[in-house]
Amino acid sequence: MNKQPHSSRTTTGFTLVELLVVISIISILVALLLPAVQQAREAARRTQCKNNLAELSIGLHSYQQSFNMLPPGVVNPTGPIMNAENGYHMSWLVQLLPQIDQSPLFQKIDFNVSAYAAENHQFRGMFINVTRCPSDIDLTTGDPVVSSSYAGCIGGENVPIDKDNSGLLFLNSSVGYEQIRDGASNTLLLGERTLDDIPLKPDLGWMSGTAATLRNTGVAINADRQSGILNAYAGGFDPNTPHEPPPEELSTGGFSSRHTGGFQSALADGSVRFISENIDPLLFQNLGRREDGQMIGEF
């Protein structure tokens, strides 16, 4: 009788210990790579934010060349400006639309009525990419009013928006470059403001010339977000120009961003700079003024 050879089959696979080791290694790699990916994404967002400010700055320079002045920060018969849907309140961003490739939208807006009128309601909900920092995109809630991540500077004092502010964009302003006596490279034109800061709840949107699109350097950078104090450094930094903090309905608040350590800004000379939240407070206040005669230096 022939004996058939016995065939044996060897089974291979991972043991439980080996599987746990592999999972642990993968988890460690993911933990190491995730911060790097997040940093790369934030760097890209920061660059796009800088490009947005550069485009807005170019648009403002184009407006100035056409009309020999910067656009008014807000158009309204009287001041000071209240943070409420009560007034004409057309913002500088509305005036700037033709210079940022939004002429069709500009032509549809009804300037015979206010920014809040029913005739303009649909336009307040129009998303304009250049007015939104990519780091703020996830704060879009689907509200009918679209907000802007960028605001003009009314001046270096924590005061209401009015016709006598010391900056470049304020109530019915018509500032020409010859009036920027401190020098265009020493004067703040635009800066970031986050959509989750305090001065304006609810946000009145990009068409509104209120705290939604105008801020001051009399409030510390990121103070509205970090401390929850509306009028941080109330009264200003400069003891020679004391000011009582404005009530909430008249307050503009300061500049802020979701970028770590400061905010992106555009100076009147067209340059875009990242300003640290550790900047000297008095120097920052002076940056907001167009003709205070103070030396700025490096910042």
Side-chain angles (χ1 to χ4, degrees):
M1 180 170 43
N2 295 329
K3 293 183 177 181
Q4 298 295 329
H6 178 73
S7 62
S8 62
R9 299 167 63 185
T10 303
T11 302
T12 60
F14 290 110
T15 65
L16 179 60
V17 173
E18 290 173 330
L19 184 60
L20 292 174
V21 169
V22 171
I23 293 174
S24 299
I25 292 173
I26 293 175
S27 299
I28 292 171
L29 290 174
V30 170
L32 292 173
L33 289 174
L34 189 57
V37 172
Q38 291 175 334
Q39 289 177 2
R41 287 178 176 173
E42 174 54 26
R45 291 169 179 166
R46 186 163 160 171
T47 299
Q48 182 58 51
C49 178
K50 183 176 181 179
N51 291 339
N52 289 346
L53 275 166
E55 186 172 342
L56 290 172
S57 180
I58 291 171
L60 285 165
H61 279 78
S62 176
Y63 186 102
Q64 194 276 333
Q65 290 176 353
S66 298
F67 301 100
N68 294 319
M69 65 178 186
L70 292 169
V74 53
V75 178
N76 202 67
T78 60
I81 299 298
M82 296 189 65
N83 293 320
E85 295 184 356
N86 182 21
Y88 186 69
H89 288 185
M90 286 290 183
S91 74
W92 61 272
L93 273 169
V94 177
Q95 316 298 323
L96 196 64
L97 289 175
Q99 280 72 34
I100 56 174
D101 201 28
Q102 295 291 332
S103 291
L105 176 56
F106 180 81
Q107 293 168 3
K108 291 179 180 179
I109 292 175
D110 189 345
F111 288 93
N112 295 314
V113 294
S114 77
Y116 314 116
E119 293 87 339
N120 290 321
H121 183 73
Q122 61 177 316
F123 308 126
R124 296 176 68 196
M126 297 287 291
F127 181 85
I128 303 173
N129 190 58
V130 73
T131 66
R132 181 65 63 85
C133 171
S135 295
D136 273 342
I137 290 293
D138 60 344
L139 295 178
T140 303
T141 60
D143 293 337
V145 174
V146 172
S147 305
S148 170
S149 297
Y150 308 109
C153 182
I154 68 167
E157 299 79 30
N158 185 21
V159 295
I161 302 166
D162 215 332
K163 61 182 180 180
D164 57 351
N165 295 140
S166 61
L168 300 179
L169 300 171
F170 49 94
L171 174 60
N172 300 329
S173 57
S174 57
V175 177
Y177 267 68
E178 70 281 356
Q179 296 173 269
I180 310 177
R181 296 186 176 90
D182 286 352
S185 62
N186 296 324
T187 308
L188 185 67
L189 178 59
L190 303 174
E192 287 186 88
R193 46 86 39 163
T194 53
L195 307 188
D196 57 350
D197 59 6
I198 291 173
L200 194 59
K201 298 291 183 181
D203 197 300
L204 298 180
W206 66 272
M207 287 186 66
S208 174
T210 57
T213 56
L214 293 168
R215 296 298 169 102
N216 70 76
T217 60
V219 175
I221 299 169
N222 286 328
D224 296 326
R225 298 190 67 223
Q226 292 180 349
S227 66
I229 301 174
L230 178 61
N231 293 304
Y233 298 148
F237 313 117
D238 189 349
N240 297 318
T241 58
H243 291 279
E244 289 296 323
E248 184 172 350
E249 63 269 16
L250 293 175
S251 178
T252 56
F255 294 96
S256 58
S257 84
R258 301 185 76 200
H259 308 302
T260 303
F263 76 107
Q264 303 268 31
S265 69
L267 301 180
D269 66 349
S271 62
V272 178
R273 300 278 299 273
F274 185 82
I275 299 181
S276 170
E277 60 188 24
N278 297 318
I279 187 174
D280 177 78
L282 184 56
L283 188 155
F284 183 56
Q285 188 174 24
N286 290 337
L287 271 177
R289 299 167 175 158
R290 65 183 181 274
E291 52 178 354
D292 59 7
Q294 299 298 316
M295 299 294 291
I296 295 296
E298 293 297 323
F299 62 92

